[in-house]
Amino acid sequence: MRAMRDIEMDNPHRRVVLLLDMDCFYAQCESIRLGLDQKIPLALIQWRSALAVNYPAREFGIKRGDSFEDIREKSQGRCVCIHLPVTLVDQTNHSSVAEPVSPQKDVGAFDPASLVDSYNAEFNQPKEVRERMYKSEKNKMRHQSEGKANLNRYRLASARIFRLI
């Protein structure tokens, strides 16, 4: 192991890079948001293609990039697919017509209180609301003509994680 003095000499600006690989992170976020058992096979879909696949779904041979149809076939219909959130887009000027999921536009600028409030509003809904969201989102595919993918939900979850570090 290198001595701290050697590391400091190699790093005169004292910069540290931290990499956290949060495997199947979007799928984990959806499991939490929807209150799903971690054992449920889950694939997060964007435009009919798997973007994140949790470990129970991987047991069926499902992998990132698999089509919705392949996922249903490989799992014999047992893997749940949830589509990435979609923000409606005004086709005349290609701008968003709906506000993002979270009330903050710049997740990095959250103050701690608003981060907690926004996270709770997104991920800590009452059980009956979670069940209703799950039923309406389960295996519902979206089309690119509906809008653009909205990653704010996952940025919010990431910001919460990094606030803890």
Side-chain angles (χ1 to χ4, degrees), residues 14 43-44 46 57-58 70 73-74 81 83 90 105 123 128 147 150 160:
R14 298 181 188 257
L44 189 73
Q46 180 179 3
R58 291 178 191 185
D70 288 344
E73 184 179 317
K74 287 180 178 182
C81 294
H83 198 282
D90 178 352
K105 291 190 177 174
F123 289 94
E128 62 275 3
N150 184 326
R160 183 171 181 257

Side-chain angles (χ1 to χ4, degrees), residues 105-131:
K105 291 190 177 174
D106 180 5
V107 173
F110 277 118
D111 67 67
S114 71
L115 176 62
V116 170
D117 291 344
S118 296
Y119 181 87
N120 286 335
E122 187 68 39
F123 289 94
N124 290 326
Q125 292 294 322
K127 183 178 180 181
E128 62 275 3
V129 173
R130 289 177 181 213
E131 289 171 354

Side-chain angles (χ1 to χ4, degrees), residues 1-11:
M1 188 157 145
R2 295 174 57 192
M4 185 56 111
R5 185 184 85 257
D6 294 337
I7 292 171
E8 288 176 359
M9 289 176 63
D10 290 346
N11 189 4

Side-chain angles (χ1 to χ4, degrees), residues 21-85:
D21 183 4
M22 296 181 269
D23 202 19
C24 56
F25 178 66
Y26 292 1
Q28 291 179 52
C29 289
E30 291 302 332
S31 290
I32 293 167
R33 183 180 70 88
L34 297 170
L36 303 178
D37 186 315
Q38 296 293 313
K39 295 176 186 167
I40 292 176
L42 179 69
L44 189 73
I45 304 294
Q46 180 179 3
W47 318 133
R48 303 191 73 76
S49 176
L51 188 62
V53 179
N54 72 1
Y55 289 104
R58 291 178 191 185
E59 291 176 14
F60 292 109
I62 298 167
K63 60 188 180 311
R64 182 183 166 104
D66 280 354
S67 70
F68 174 70
E69 293 77 13
D70 288 344
I71 292 167
R72 304 300 292 155
E73 184 179 317
K74 287 180 178 182
S75 70
Q76 298 174 347
R78 291 181 284 184
C79 182
V80 173
C81 294
I82 300 292
H83 198 282
L84 213 66

Side-chain angles (χ1 to χ4, degrees), residues 47 86-89 91 143-149:
W47 318 133
V86 174
T87 299
L88 301 176
V89 174
Q91 294 300 324
H143 190 272
Q144 287 173 301
S145 65
E146 294 179 59
K148 61 182 182 178

